[in-house]
Amino acid sequence: MSDENVTIMEKALDVLIIQGFFQTLLKNFGGTPFRKNFEALVDWLEELHVGKYENRSVQEIFDDELTKALKYCKIFTWACLALCSLSTITFLIKFVLNDTIVILIPYLEPSINMIFYQILQFVCFLILTGWIITSDLSIVFIEFYVISFMKSINRMITSLSDLSQEKKKYSHNLLQILEKHVEMLRILRTFNEAVKLISLVQLFMSILLLLSIFLSIQANNEEIGMYITFASITLTLAMLCVFGQMIQTQTMDIFDNLYQTNWYDFTLYDQTILLLMMTNSCKAIGLKAAGMYDVNLTSFVEILKISFSYSVIVLTFAGK
């Protein structure tokens, strides 16, 4: 970093690599204290796929939503693999063409062992890319299934309006919805507890990473690799924030759908169940980093604004 022959872009790349390794370590080991929560979520996912329901319409709703969740998981896997691999390969090609060394081993001269260094960097960067994709997608998969489960509950609530006026049908379906609603609240608490530290690391490190990238782009706007890296980091942050927003929206939809049912046709007992579910749904439930900060689209926009604003301030004081 103190070498006068090192360019600004090479220093920026060093900073990005250090931040990337640090973020990966924090995110992966940040879930270790909450291992039981993740195990509970995995067990719940297995139960979703093998679960059977007496009501045929309910079975069709859950089968349909689970199929969609699985399809979206596959699409996101290929999208993340393509973008992250493109970012990694772009820099690896740049390293080879320019004989750039970013991982230096003491007492091992780069000029003599250049081939060894290029192979080492290639292996390390591919491992890091796979590590990041695996850790991030595992959380994304759980989020997809949580959202699909919430959509299933909303569809069950909406289907109440299609029932006949028979009180027994209302009561039977309301009890099923109540059970699923209680299960949803339990799963959301477990999921929030499991990812509260990981989401905090993601938000904080995204600010630092985006700040470094904005500085690099403004210092040299012809560096294509920085734009690809910016897209990769933005996608990773967007996945967390978008899913947080979707979970929050689904909880509010549950309240609205319960209010729009034919509650005036229910018995007093059924109205009590309905009121209980509405009380539990009147406040939106979403992801919270460290249990305090909301993770949604507003957070995503704020992080982009903060990172860009700070990069402009730093460049202004630096006289660039």
Side-chain angles (χ1 to χ4, degrees), residues 48-217:
L48 272 184
H49 277 283
V50 300
K52 299 296 180 182
Y53 305 94
E54 295 180 1
N55 191 315
R56 183 177 178 182
S57 61
V58 173
Q59 185 69 53
E60 290 177 352
I61 289 173
F62 275 91
D63 288 343
D64 183 40
E65 291 298 333
L66 290 177
T67 302
K68 290 180 181 178
L70 184 59
K71 181 179 70 174
Y72 294 147
C73 287
K74 293 179 179 179
I75 294 173
F76 258 75
T77 300
W78 286 110
C80 290
L81 278 173
L83 189 55
C84 293
S85 299
L86 180 62
S87 177
T88 303
I89 292 172
T90 301
F91 278 108
L92 288 173
I93 293 174
K94 180 180 176 63
F95 295 160
V96 173
L97 294 177
N98 300 332
D99 289 334
T100 304
I101 302 297
V102 293
I103 301 176
L104 186 63
I105 300 177
Y107 308 111
L108 196 61
E109 183 61 35
S111 58
I112 302 175
N113 303 280
M114 183 57 68
I115 296 178
F116 169 77
Y117 272 111
Q118 296 295 359
I119 296 175
L120 176 65
Q121 291 179 162
F122 180 80
V123 173
C124 287
F125 272 70
L126 285 184
I127 291 174
L128 179 60
T129 303
W131 196 358
I132 293 173
I133 292 174
T134 303
S135 61
D136 286 344
L137 285 181
S138 60
I139 298 176
V140 170
F141 290 167
I142 296 175
E143 289 174 336
F144 267 126
Y145 278 99
V146 169
I147 292 172
S148 69
F149 185 72
M150 298 174 73
K151 285 184 177 180
S152 300
I153 295 176
N154 272 312
R155 288 178 61 178
M156 289 176 64
I157 296 172
T158 306
S159 66
L160 287 175
S161 301
D162 301 329
L163 296 176
S164 64
Q165 301 298 319
E166 296 180 25
K167 307 300 183 182
K168 291 183 179 179
K169 287 188 176 181
Y170 281 127
S171 298
H172 179 70
N173 282 270
L174 267 176
L175 286 175
Q176 282 190 322
I177 294 172
L178 177 61
E179 291 176 1
K180 294 301 177 185
H181 189 254
V182 172
E183 183 179 348
M184 181 202 76
L185 295 176
R186 176 179 60 83
I187 291 301
L188 284 177
R189 283 196 299 268
T190 304
F191 184 64
N192 251 321
E193 185 68 20
V195 302
K196 65 179 182 181
L197 184 56
I198 296 175
S199 56
L200 178 64
V201 171
Q202 179 67 61
L203 295 183
F204 177 72
M205 293 303 299
S206 293
I207 295 176
L208 298 180
L209 286 166
L210 289 172
L211 173 61
S212 301
I213 291 176
F214 283 138
L215 285 171
S216 304
I217 292 176

Side-chain angles (χ1 to χ4, degrees), residues 1-18 101-102 104 212:
M1 294 294 290
S2 60
D3 192 341
E4 294 181 357
N5 297 322
V6 178
T7 64
I8 295 177
M9 292 306 300
E10 287 176 330
K11 291 182 179 180
L13 188 58
D14 290 340
V15 172
L16 280 172
I17 292 171
I18 293 171
I101 302 297
V102 293
L104 186 63
S212 301

Side-chain angles (χ1 to χ4, degrees), residues 39-53:
E39 290 177 350
L41 290 171
V42 172
D43 293 339
W44 173 73
L45 291 179
E46 292 178 353
E47 291 175 1
L48 272 184
H49 277 283
V50 300
K52 299 296 180 182
Y53 305 94

